[in-house]
């Protein structure tokens, strides 16, 4: 059996102290395997962003353990966490966060250069990603010269340029019109299926969520099967 790309074990996260403690996650656990797309459809204010931050090693849980590609990550020092995040995790957000002074190609190359690839290697990989996402003709354009859908496809390419084992996406189509959102999701889905990476995608778009392998939500700080919640009689 393949090693899970992501394992969250009994994750707890609380903020504040004394009588003003806010418990956001209360023993949240989940596993995502290579090649699997999981939709996180939790309502706003239930801890969705906190869960993604912890899964992405951007925030530490109060208790519990995070495993990335089988490696325990919670107790690592900052340098080791940064290296693991850089090499094994890709991020896509609702807003593309591309660097405006660089071209689409250069934005995709940057994380590879930071990871130690040569400019030639980074450029070749960027060209492959641009071609795969059907925006090779826009490689020299800066973000302001790209449409919203093109910008988000560049952001996806940048997120997976270092061949991570896990992709975390927070409302990656939330800032797009329905038609463009469909195109971007198709590109993302094809990339996940072709590469075999695992993806946890937070979305309010139930149509897109239904196209993923399974849906989960957050209830009282726990990860639960969203389909079972929406249809308790199922199964």
């Amino acid at each position: 059996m393949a090693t899970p790309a992501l394992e969250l074990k009994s994750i707890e996260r609380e903020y504040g102290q004394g009588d003003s403690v806010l418990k956001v996650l209360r023993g949240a656990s989940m596993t995502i395997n290579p090649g699997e797309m999981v939709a996180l459809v939790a309502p706003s204010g239930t801890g969705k962003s906190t869960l993604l931050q912890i899964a992405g090693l951007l925030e530490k849980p109060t208790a519990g353990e995070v495993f990335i590609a089988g490696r325990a990550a919670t107790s690592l020092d900052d340098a080791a966490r940064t290296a693991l995040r850089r090499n094994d995790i890709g991020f896509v957000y609702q807003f593309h966060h591309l660097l405006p002074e660089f071209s689409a190609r250069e934005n995709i190359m940057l994380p590879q250069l930071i990871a130690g690839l040569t400019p030639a290697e980074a450029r070749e990989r960027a060209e492959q990603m641009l071609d795969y996402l059907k925006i090779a003709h826009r490689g020299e354009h800066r973000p302001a010269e790209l449409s919203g859908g093109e910008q988000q496809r560049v952001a996806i390419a940048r997120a997976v340029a270092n061949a991570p084992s896990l992709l975390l996406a927070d409302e990656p189509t939330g800032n797009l019109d329905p038609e463009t959102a469909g195109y971007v999701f198709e590109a993302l889905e094809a990339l996940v299926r072709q590469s075999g990476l695992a993806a946890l995608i937070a979305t309010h778009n139930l149509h897109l969520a239904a196209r993923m392998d399974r849906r989960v939500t957050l209830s009282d700080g726990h990860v639960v099967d969203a389909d079972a919640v929406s249809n308790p009689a199922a199964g």
Side-chain angles (χ1 to χ4, degrees), residues 47-226:
K48 176 192 66 178
S49 294
T50 299
L51 183 74
L52 288 173
Q53 292 282 96
I54 290 173
L57 308 184
L58 294 171
E59 185 173 335
K60 287 189 176 183
T62 305
E65 185 62 83
V66 180
F67 292 86
I68 303 296
R71 184 176 181 186
T74 305
S75 59
L76 296 176
D77 61 31
D78 289 343
R81 285 168 61 86
T82 297
L84 185 58
R85 183 170 58 245
R86 182 180 63 226
N87 295 327
D88 283 273
I89 305 174
F91 298 89
V92 180
Y93 300 98
Q94 180 174 351
F95 298 98
H96 54 79
H97 297 301
L98 299 174
L99 297 177
E101 66 271 29
F102 294 106
S103 69
R105 181 182 296 104
E106 290 167 338
N107 267 279
I108 300 169
M109 290 175 63
L110 279 173
Q112 301 177 75
L113 296 173
I114 293 171
L117 273 69
T118 67
E121 291 170 332
R123 184 181 181 88
E124 180 180 3
R125 175 65 172 166
E127 293 290 355
Q128 292 173 350
M129 299 304 303
L130 287 166
D131 185 60
Y132 190 83
L133 293 170
K134 298 180 172 57
I135 47 174
H137 61 296
R138 306 292 275 167
E140 293 297 327
H141 292 73
R142 295 185 178 183
E145 301 171 308
L146 304 173
S147 69
E150 289 170 340
Q151 290 172 341
Q152 200 64 326
R153 277 184 277 179
V154 173
I156 291 169
R158 179 185 59 186
V160 301
N162 282 337
S165 57
L166 174 66
L167 178 69
L168 301 173
D170 192 358
E171 297 289 347
T173 63
N175 198 39
L176 305 172
D177 63 81
E179 183 177 9
T180 304
Y183 291 145
V184 169
F185 180 80
E186 287 174 4
L188 177 59
E189 182 180 29
L191 195 58
V192 169
R193 302 304 187 195
Q194 185 269 342
S195 65
L197 63 82
L200 176 61
I201 302 173
T203 181
H204 285 108
N205 189 323
L206 296 182
H207 174 70
L208 296 183
R211 295 172 58 179
M212 300 189 215
D213 296 311
R214 56 190 171 98
R215 298 186 302 159
V216 299
T217 190
L218 288 168
S219 177
D220 194 29
H222 298 273
V223 177
V224 298
D225 184 332

